[in-house]
Amino acid sequence: MATAVALGGSDRDRGKRRNLGDILVEQGVITPLELDEALQRQRLTGDFLGRVLVKMELCEEQDVLEALGVQQGMERVDLTKFKIKDEVLRKIPPDVARFYNVMPVRIRENGVLVVALANPLDLNLLDDIAQIVGGPVEGAVSNLADVTQAIKSNYSYEGEDVNETLQLLVDKVGLKELTMEELGQQQIVGDVENLVELAQEPEIIKIVNLVLLEAVHKKASDVHFEVYEEDFRIRLRIDGVLHEIVAPPKAISIAVVSRAKVMSNMDIGERRLPQDARIELKIGDSDIDVRVGTLPTLFGECVVMRILDRTSVQTSLPKLGLAKQLQEDISTIINKSSGLFLVTGPTGSGKTTTLYACVTELNEVGSKIITCEDPVELQIEQLVQVQIREEAGLTFASALRSILRQDPDIIMVGEVRDLDTANMCIEAALTGHFVLSSIHTNSAVETVTRLLDMDVEAFLITSALEGILAQRLVRKVCRDCRQPYKPEPAEMDELGVPKSWRKSGDLKLYRSKGCPSCDYAGYKGRTGIYELLKMNDDLREMILQRKMTHEMRKYARKHLGMLTLREEALIKAAQGITTGEEVIHHTELFVD
């Protein structure tokens, strides 16, 4: 079996363990005086020296990682000065190099392949690579920027047909698996050791890694591994729509699912009950959070991997696609000293991203912000974030009770699910805190009705509520192949185009045929559409009188300047940002 050589470097370095601080001084990262200051701080805190140095801002985490690699006996390589031979490059396929962020450097006389690592402490990574290349592997110390640049310089992404590569791999594995299936599928399924062995097959590792790499490259939100009676499908959800990328033979489904479970540290032998896990991956130069869920079905386990690319999450209001006035109005609301602000919409409409953008704007030294979420989807510095664990009794309502005793200024609650949570949010808002949360309704005005239906008292709603933001995500038409056209009267009727727009005769909408830039989908990326309901005294009086939803909507449009989701989407369609089809699909036309 292929093995990873954990400790690299020359023989004279092995067996010796040098001090981390001395290595950093030798490399010119810190001075001897700075090391003495850090050591004094370490004696007081008892913390690790590397963490102390980073907290004192004397060096970066990457500097500590590189020094730890040297401490473990790995050689340090400067990839900017390396000319890597073709036979060395061929040892590690491009997709493997990109997925693990490694670069092959040389082959030693004893046949050991030396690879440069951005994270020299990840020995599991070395084990995976050893399995894939089928021989011993030794780590060398480099840094993230140099490894990323070396991959770009030595491997070309352009021209690679990922679908074709995947198909070659699954065909190869399928033939091997069918042989094993003939020997007795039930024995393989029942034997955990065999399942683990299947999950460690080099081709299976490559298939799963390549799917995840493709998902990140295409900015997919989810990866679906689906098992049917006679089929096995792998699909990516891109811009809200599922796309099948390859149709592997059914025979490899158990191996692929087992690989996903091994990566997620799940119980690989448990196939009767659903399992959930969360893992952090470094795919290329992207930091990825992955939520993994398995579901037993009639014909095997299905797996969904929800992908959150922390490097691409838009965590500020200016990046959400808000109109200037809308952004200013939201900023005014959330900067109040107390009150309740709700974000609403269906699952997958970007509510959590908007909440993160709001708390990021409010995140400053003078304010203490605490969040309670299920799950915590994005870790943000200087926020106190609480993970809800209902199985242990930590619900949103119980977490809020404890949070109020932690002297917060701002509280973010992941979701208002029940009356207890709603009342706790309102109580917090009425006792001098600003509270942000999400709720599931179709529009901003309907949120008021939803709260009343949950038996929240009307006077509490009017006392605490400051604003409601409804939102959707619509696909953006590809700018490289979009074409303008004049809509027919029937389409304008369906869209609800105002009479004033029709009279001018200048209205143009856009559609596209597809091109290589958008993978012939016609769309590329998504943007938000928003509907903001701002509270005032008249609207509060209408809530107390329990006025009908359409009456409150009509008042907000006429007196508060509120644009409905349909109106906001229609404006973006006329601007060439999205299409009429997306407007109709994601929004409702109200005639008040």
Side-chain angles (χ1 to χ4, degrees):
M1 179 178 286
T3 57
V5 182
L7 302 181
S10 60
D11 291 336
R12 61 184 175 81
D13 288 333
R14 297 179 186 174
K16 298 180 181 180
R17 190 175 180 85
R18 301 158 60 199
N19 291 327
L20 177 67
D22 292 339
I23 295 171
L24 288 167
V25 170
E26 181 183 296
Q27 294 177 349
V29 177
I30 58 175
T31 66
L33 181 60
E34 289 171 334
L35 174 59
D36 289 339
E37 293 175 0
L39 289 171
Q40 290 177 21
R41 178 79 63 89
Q42 184 193 28
R43 294 187 192 101
L44 292 172
T45 63
D47 207 347
F48 293 111
L49 178 60
R51 196 173 297 162
V52 170
L53 288 164
V54 172
K55 286 181 179 178
M56 292 176 68
E57 298 184 352
L58 296 175
C59 66
E60 302 290 334
E61 287 187 14
Q62 184 63 41
D63 297 323
V64 176
L65 277 176
E66 292 178 37
L68 286 169
V70 173
Q71 187 186 52
Q72 294 292 331
M74 293 185 185
E75 68 170 308
R76 198 164 188 264
V77 295
D78 184 353
L79 290 174
T80 62
K81 299 177 180 177
F82 246 94
K83 175 64 177 175
I84 301 171
K85 297 179 179 178
D86 289 341
E87 60 264 28
V88 176
L89 284 174
R90 285 194 292 269
K91 281 288 185 178
I92 294 184
D95 56 280
V96 174
R98 291 190 195 94
F99 184 89
Y100 290 105
N101 230 39
V102 299
M103 193 66 209
V105 176
R106 69 169 71 89
I107 301 173
R108 296 195 184 279
E109 291 182 359
N110 58 2
V112 174
L113 175 66
V114 179
V115 294
L117 312 173
N119 182 0
L121 302 185
D122 191 348
L123 299 184
N124 289 332
L125 177 152
L126 286 175
D127 288 336
D128 278 359
I129 295 173
Q131 289 282 347
I132 292 170
V133 303
V137 176
E138 179 180 293
V141 181
S142 185
N143 63 70
L144 179 59
D146 287 353
V147 171
T148 302
Q149 185 55 49
I151 292 170
K152 290 178 180 177
S153 301
N154 290 278
Y155 295 112
S156 171
Y157 193 90
E158 297 299 327
E160 282 189 65
D161 188 332
V162 176
N163 227 310
E164 184 178 327
T165 305
L166 274 172
Q167 195 62 60
L168 289 172
L169 281 170
V170 297
D171 287 346
K172 179 179 178 183
V173 180
L175 292 173
K176 180 190 296 185
E177 180 78 359
L178 283 171
T179 305
M180 300 177 74
E181 190 173 45
E182 290 170 1
L183 295 174
Q185 183 70 22
Q186 294 302 317
Q187 181 180 353
I188 295 172
V189 172
D191 189 340
V192 173
E193 289 185 5
N194 282 339
L195 287 175
V196 174
E197 188 174 337
L198 277 177
Q200 297 300 333
E201 286 287 336
E203 287 84 2
I204 295 297
I205 294 174
K206 285 188 66 177
I207 286 171
V208 176
N209 290 356
L210 194 54
V211 168
L212 288 173
L213 186 70
E214 181 74 351
V216 172
H217 176 67
K218 291 190 172 180
K219 295 181 169 50
S221 60
D222 302 85
V223 179
H224 292 242
F225 297 101
E226 302 168 330
V227 184
Y228 300 94
E229 184 175 10
E230 296 181 356
D231 301 305
F232 178 45
R233 302 170 76 188
I234 300 177
R235 296 197 288 176
L236 304 182
R237 187 176 294 279
I238 302 168
D239 295 335
V241 179
L242 283 170
H243 300 268
E244 188 166 356
I245 60 170
V246 70
K250 171 74 183 293
I252 74 166
S253 62
I254 294 173
V256 171
V257 169
S258 297
R259 176 61 189 168
K261 292 168 78 171
V262 166
M263 290 176 66
S264 312
N265 294 315
M266 291 181 177
D267 182 354
I268 195 171
E270 178 55 77
R271 304 181 70 245
R272 300 164 299 173
L273 297 173
Q275 297 186 65
D276 293 289
R278 178 174 178 170
I279 53 176
E280 295 182 4
L281 299 175
K282 185 77 175 180
I283 300 179
D285 53 0
S286 298
D287 293 310
I288 306 297
D289 285 331
V290 185
R291 281 172 24 211
V292 186
T294 66
L295 182 69
T297 71
L298 283 174
F299 307 110
E301 287 180 287
C302 290
V303 178
V304 173
M305 306 179 86
R306 167 65 58 89
I307 296 173
L308 179 67
D309 185 349
R310 283 180 281 170
T311 60
S312 66
V313 174
Q314 309 297 335
T315 54
S316 67
L317 288 177
K319 295 181 179 179
L320 294 182
L322 297 161
K324 183 179 179 182
Q325 185 59 53
L326 192 57
Q327 182 180 323
E328 291 175 0
D329 289 342
I330 293 172
S331 185
T332 298
I333 292 172
I334 65 176
N335 275 285
K336 293 185 176 183
S337 59
S338 64
L340 174 63
F341 180 65
L342 294 174
V343 180
T344 185
T347 300
S349 60
K351 299 187 298 295
T352 303
T353 300
T354 298
L355 289 174
Y356 278 136
C358 289
V359 295
T360 298
E361 174 161 318
L362 299 171
N363 193 6
E364 55 185 31
V365 176
S367 299
K368 179 168 183 176
I369 303 177
I370 303 180
T371 76
C372 53
E373 308 167 62
D374 183 21
V376 174
E377 294 193 17
L378 185 66
Q379 297 175 25
I380 300 179
E381 291 184 5
Q382 310 304 321
L383 292 190
V384 178
Q385 294 177 272
V386 178
Q387 170 74 54
I388 296 301
R389 301 188 184 280
E390 293 194 354
E391 70 279 3
L394 184 61
T395 63
F396 280 113
S398 62
L400 268 169
R401 292 188 185 93
S402 300
I403 286 171
L404 288 173
R405 294 191 286 270
Q406 294 293 312
D407 189 30
D409 298 292
I410 298 159
I411 303 169
M412 185 187 109
V413 181
E415 185 181 344
V416 175
R417 295 178 179 173
D418 50 41
L419 178 60
D420 284 346
T421 307
N423 282 333
M424 286 300 301
C425 286
I426 289 173
E427 179 186 330
L430 294 176
T431 53
H433 308 87
F434 195 85
V435 181
L436 305 99
S437 188
S438 72
I439 191 169
H440 287 279
T441 61
N442 289 325
S443 68
V445 179
E446 288 175 75
T447 303
V448 175
T449 306
R450 170 73 176 132
L451 292 172
L452 291 170
D453 289 343
M454 290 170 66
D455 291 329
V456 179
E457 295 290 349
F459 75 91
L460 291 176
I461 297 173
T462 59
S463 299
L465 192 60
E466 293 294 340
I468 304 169
L469 182 72
Q471 67 179 76
R472 299 287 190 277
L473 291 176
V474 295
R475 290 184 292 173
K476 295 193 291 186
V477 65
C478 176
R479 300 187 69 87
D480 292 324
C481 61
R482 69 177 185 178
Q483 296 175 338
Y485 71 97
K486 286 192 175 185
E488 297 293 331
E491 184 179 1
M492 288 195 283
D493 290 340
E494 191 175 9
L495 287 167
V497 175
K499 292 179 180 178
S500 58
W501 290 21
R502 302 190 192 199
K503 287 179 181 178
S504 68
D506 294 330
L507 177 63
K508 290 182 181 179
L509 298 181
Y510 292 80
R511 56 192 169 203
S512 59
K513 295 181 178 179
C515 66
S517 177
C518 60
D519 255 351
Y520 297 95
Y523 297 92
K524 193 173 183 180
R526 289 192 290 179
T527 189
I529 53 172
Y530 305 92
E531 173 183 295
L532 178 63
L533 180 67
K534 299 176 290 184
M535 300 300 295
N536 69 358
D537 291 341
D538 290 338
L539 198 54
R540 289 187 174 94
E541 184 62 31
M542 294 180 77
I543 294 173
L544 289 173
Q545 295 176 10
R546 294 181 178 263
K547 293 287 187 179
M548 299 294 288
T549 300
H550 74 272
E551 293 179 273
M552 289 189 282
R553 182 186 300 110
K554 184 176 181 179
Y555 172 84
R557 292 175 67 189
K558 183 176 181 179
H559 298 284
L560 301 178
M562 184 186 81
L563 292 176
T564 65
L565 288 167
R566 171 59 65 93
E567 290 166 337
E568 165 88 356
L570 192 54
I571 290 171
K572 291 198 171 181
Q575 291 172 339
I577 297 172
T578 189
T579 64
E581 288 86 350
E582 284 292 287
V583 173
I584 293 168
H585 181 69
H586 290 284
T587 64
E588 188 176 351
L589 178 61
F590 295 109
V591 181
D592 294 329

